[in-house]
Amino acid sequence: MRKPFIAGNWKMNKIATEAADLVSKLKENVGSFKDADILICPPYTSLLAAQEAIKDSVIELGAQNMHWEANGAFTGEVSAAMLKDIGVKFVIIGHSERRKYFSETNQQVNKKIKAAISADLLPIVCVGESLEQREQQKEKEVVEKQLREGFDSLSQADLEKVTVAYEPVWAIGTGKTATGEQADQMHSFIREWFKKNFSDQAAEKLRVLYGGSVKPTNIKELIAKENIDGALVGGASLKPLDFTEIIKNSSLG
Ligand code: 13P
């Protein structure tokens, strides 16, 4: 049985004072809730404020991106060690917005996963197809390539540190959610891929989150599916009441 995992991706929202305020509301709402793992991923500049604010709570801290090099002349970038140093535990890698707006490739995703694990960070690796690709019924082909190239030469031990998030691009910020059925089909495809390419045991343990317009009203349908182990939540994670309801509803599946 995989423990539900609800992660909030704040994207480019919330300055430090707003982050502290949002965390304190969330903390009050979730209390010592233990039936799901809870994560927030604020932007870099609010990580320290969030780190301070989550103290003595069940909430964990993640970042939204990182560079694969440890240090050097990479203006504007942040390394895994820098994140680790300020108490970050998780890092989102290969989000579709990074792939789309910053041309991130599967090869870069691969380097980032390896660098994150070496620095003792836990990667949340995003995969997912665009609307056009789904309309051409290429969604499995696209996700398979993202997995094959993104997870190239990773070990079983590495995989134990990883969470995968399936985020169909057409469902992000659009209010269109994949149906539980559609999402579960892809989630089981993803789990099968890990069974074939890693091991049954590693694939059984792996948590695969769904992302794309997750709300308090649709989380129950999603989490009830066998291969959906939680959610990567964008917009609704900025609303403490909605995010709390998603967390609480995630353990009812
Ligand atoms: P929304 O929940 O706003 O659709 O965003 C999903 C997402 O991209 C999470 O990483």
Side-chain angles (χ1 to χ4, degrees):
M1 186 64 194
R2 295 173 293 266
K3 188 174 181 185
F5 185 12
I6 303 296
N9 174 9
W10 292 7
K11 307 194 178 182
M12 198 170 71
N13 294 291
K14 305 292 174 190
I15 60 170
T17 48
E18 293 168 341
D21 186 49
L22 176 50
V23 172
S24 82
K25 287 185 181 129
L26 191 59
K27 234 165 113 170
E28 249 170 60
N29 295 341
V30 295
S32 58
F33 190 79
K34 287 203 174 60
D35 295 340
D37 289 330
I38 306 168
L39 174 71
I40 52 164
C41 302
Y44 291 140
T45 51
S46 295
L47 283 170
L48 266 178
Q51 160 67 7
E52 188 58 34
I54 59 170
K55 277 189 186 146
D56 304 317
S57 82
V58 291
I59 305 165
E60 305 268 21
L61 189 65
Q64 299 172 16
N65 181 34
M66 52 166 264
H67 195 270
W68 58 86
E69 293 290 345
N71 47 49
F74 300 100
T75 302
E77 293 292 332
V78 168
S79 74
M82 290 168 184
L83 297 174
K84 183 77 191 165
D85 181 51
I86 57 163
V88 170
K89 191 166 168 190
F90 290 84
V91 60
I92 298 173
I93 292 178
H95 190 279
S96 63
E97 286 149 17
R98 303 268 348 142
R99 294 176 188 262
K100 180 173 171 196
Y101 302 125
F102 305 96
S103 311
E104 235 176 70
T105 63
N106 292 334
Q107 287 68 27
Q108 290 172 339
V109 167
N110 182 252
K111 289 197 233 178
K112 289 184 182 196
I113 299 173
K114 289 175 181 165
I117 294 172
S118 308
D120 205 19
L121 287 179
L122 304 172
I124 300 176
V125 182
C126 302
V127 295
E129 80 286 358
S130 66
L131 180 60
E132 201 187 353
Q133 290 163 334
R134 180 162 278 262
E135 281 172 351
Q136 294 167 352
Q137 296 173 345
K138 285 192 176 151
E139 66 273 15
K140 288 194 175 141
E141 197 182 308
V142 169
V143 170
E144 197 275 332
K145 188 166 191 275
Q146 289 170 337
L147 294 173
R148 180 166 29 87
E149 296 181 350
F151 285 87
D152 183 41
S153 68
L154 283 164
S155 69
Q156 306 273 348
D158 291 337
L159 192 64
E160 293 201 359
K161 315 258 169 61
V162 171
T163 301
V164 170
Y166 169 57
E167 300 204 311
V169 177
W170 48 271
I172 296 179
T174 57
K176 266 193 214 169
T177 333
T179 61
E181 205 55 52
Q182 274 173 324
D184 197 47
Q185 269 181 19
M186 185 59 88
H187 281 232
S188 64
F189 173 78
I190 292 170
R191 204 176 301 287
E192 281 305 312
W193 187 88
F194 282 101
K195 271 188 194 164
K196 239 187 278 157
N197 293 281
F198 285 79
S199 68
D200 282 7
Q201 204 193 5
E204 278 309 321
K205 269 201 201 159
L206 177 76
R207 289 192 289 193
V208 185
L209 314 184
Y210 170 79
S213 300
V214 174
K215 304 265 175 321
T217 45
N218 58 25
I219 183 69
K220 285 188 198 163
E221 185 203 345
L222 292 161
I223 203 79
K225 298 291 178 194
E226 191 186 334
N227 285 300
I228 302 181
D229 308 312
L232 183 53
V233 186
S237 72
L238 299 170
K239 300 177 188 154
L241 285 177
D242 282 10
F243 195 53
T244 306
E245 220 178 314
I246 292 172
I247 293 163
K248 296 198 169 160
N249 287 346
S250 74
S251 61
L252 307 174

